[in-house]
Amino acid sequence: MIKKGPWKAEEDEVLVNFVNKYGPRDWSSIRSMGLLPRTGKSCRLRWINKLRPNLKIGCKFSAEEERVVIDLQARFGNKWATIASYLQGRTDNDVKNFWSSRQKRLARILQSSSQCKPHKNKGKAHEIPTWQAKEFINSTQMKEESSSKYQSCPSACIGAPEMMQMTIMPLPDNLIAPNFANIDSILPSLDTIEPDNLGKPSAEVNPLQLPNPKLELPLMPESHDPVLQGLVEPNFLENVSQLNFGSPFVDNEKLATPESFFDELPADMFDFL
DNA sequence: AATCGCCTCAACCGCTGCATT
DNA sequence: AAATGCAGCGGTTGAGGCGAT
């Protein structure tokens, strides 16, 4: 009979003793030896995610870690184990959970911003009123039209004629922000990461929190979540107006109305941030 | 105080690649 | 070369906590 579900302290103890004695391998022998009625797979997962030494248990991702995950996800995609190898004390499960909850959060922001109905979670700090979302779109478009540096991505020309009639926030000339549509431009130093390090266990890679001259990621403005922080700041519109939402995944012809705009966006459009 | 919705986290599942037989 | 088992990875789900109403 194979046991599933939450682990008990006694089971953890048995598992730790096993690893101390035989090392983190031969997981299936834990069951065959009659030590635990768990699959080797389950034992391995428990060890990696909870019992392994030097894990950051119950510790939220710091702003720095969040920034690293966001940057590396843009570069590597959903290679959670690879990303986790750059974060000391974090597992692929941690990174995966962080990312998926962040995605849900962003998706909900877009969703609530695109619907003119009362917000279910009133009071949440990251809510965006619809009017803000609309100006968000407009200011982005105006930026596209007014700045030649965004012309490299024509698909950023989003919106419809009626949207042009909306109030436009003036764009301060002194604002400087990276062109997030080209994620590589904000990841210059990642080019220097040695490929040989990718995929290795964190103990073998230079974790971000250890001295690593080759991994110096550019700092975003101080924030907990760079996206949400930017959205709730007083200068929200000024910030978002700097963003280029050009995306190869957006079919411009479908973006006929402000209402349809958010529906057509890929859920991960904010990944550029 | 009760309810609801969201968030986080732990654990499982399915799949793939690799090593061994 | 084929079969098998194992390790590892990414996706998904469910439970519990927490804050807002």
Side-chain angles (χ1 to χ4, degrees):
Chain A
M1 180 66 183
I2 296 175
K3 186 180 177 187
K4 294 182 181 179
W7 282 65
K8 292 179 177 156
E10 308 90 81
E11 293 178 297
D12 283 345
E13 192 179 345
V14 171
L15 182 55
V16 169
N17 288 338
F18 174 87
V19 173
N20 288 340
K21 191 170 181 180
Y22 302 101
R25 65 181 79 87
D26 299 331
W27 299 108
S28 56
S29 63
I30 295 176
R31 189 158 72 95
S32 62
M33 292 166 70
L35 297 176
L36 286 173
R38 300 268 186 177
T39 65
K41 205 170 178 176
S42 178
C43 293
R44 177 189 156 270
L45 213 60
R46 181 66 181 172
W47 171 258
I48 288 177
N49 291 333
K50 292 299 292 182
L51 302 177
R52 203 159 42 118
N54 303 323
L55 288 178
K56 291 181 181 175
I57 304 287
C59 201
K60 282 194 177 297
F61 273 60
S62 66
E64 176 74 2
E65 288 174 314
E66 290 188 19
R67 188 178 54 76
V68 171
V69 172
I70 291 165
D71 290 346
L72 292 177
Q73 201 281 339
R75 169 146 297 212
F76 299 127
N78 297 356
K79 299 295 182 185
W80 309 122
T82 301
I83 295 171
S85 70
Y86 288 90
L87 297 167
Q88 191 181 37
R90 299 296 186 187
T91 67
D92 58 341
N93 219 26
D94 292 334
V95 176
K96 192 166 55 182
N97 283 334
F98 162 73
W99 188 259
S100 69
S101 76
R102 178 177 175 274
Q103 291 296 93
K104 284 179 190 170
R105 204 162 63 228
L106 294 179
R108 205 179 50 259
I109 288 173
L110 284 178
Q111 181 79 15
S112 60
S113 299
S114 64
Q115 295 172 351
C116 299
K117 57 187 179 185
H119 301 303
K120 290 176 182 177
N121 51 343
K122 260 192 295 186
K124 296 281 186 182
H126 50 259
E127 286 281 327
I128 309 174
T130 303
W131 67 270
Q132 276 191 337
K134 288 178 177 177
E135 291 199 0
F136 185 172
I137 300 167
N138 261 342
S139 57
T140 303
Q141 179 175 3
M142 292 304 291
K143 180 65 182 179
E144 165 66 25
E145 293 171 354
S146 63
S147 172
S148 61
K149 78 174 183 178
Y150 290 90
Q151 289 177 358
S152 60
C153 190
S155 62
C157 296
I158 55 178
E162 59 267 36
M163 292 166 61
M164 294 297 294
Q165 299 167 7
M166 297 176 185
T167 304
I168 305 299
M169 283 288 294
L171 292 170
D173 292 334
N174 59 341
L175 276 183
I176 300 174
N179 180 352
F180 288 101
N182 182 7
I183 194 67
D184 285 344
S185 67
I186 63 172
L187 290 170
S189 59
L190 281 178
D191 292 332
T192 66
I193 296 174
E194 294 177 3
D196 288 349
N197 282 346
L198 299 182
K200 286 186 180 179
S202 56
E204 298 175 41
V205 183
N206 289 327
L208 196 68
Q209 296 185 345
L210 295 177
N212 182 1
K214 294 223 168 192
L215 183 57
E216 296 176 359
L217 300 171
L219 281 171
M220 292 285 201
E222 88 292 338
S223 66
H224 191 62
D225 182 317
V227 176
L228 301 180
Q229 191 74 15
L231 295 182
V232 298
E233 281 175 354
N235 59 342
F236 162 82
L237 292 176
E238 295 176 354
N239 288 342
V240 298
S241 68
Q242 301 299 315
L243 304 180
N244 180 354
F245 281 89
S247 165
F249 308 110
V250 177
D251 183 350
N252 293 340
E253 294 184 1
K254 291 182 179 176
L255 302 177
T257 67
E259 288 70 26
S260 64
F261 172 75
F262 283 103
D263 291 337
E264 298 296 336
L265 291 174
D268 59 350
M269 69 167 285
F270 280 140
D271 290 356
F272 294 118
L273 304 179

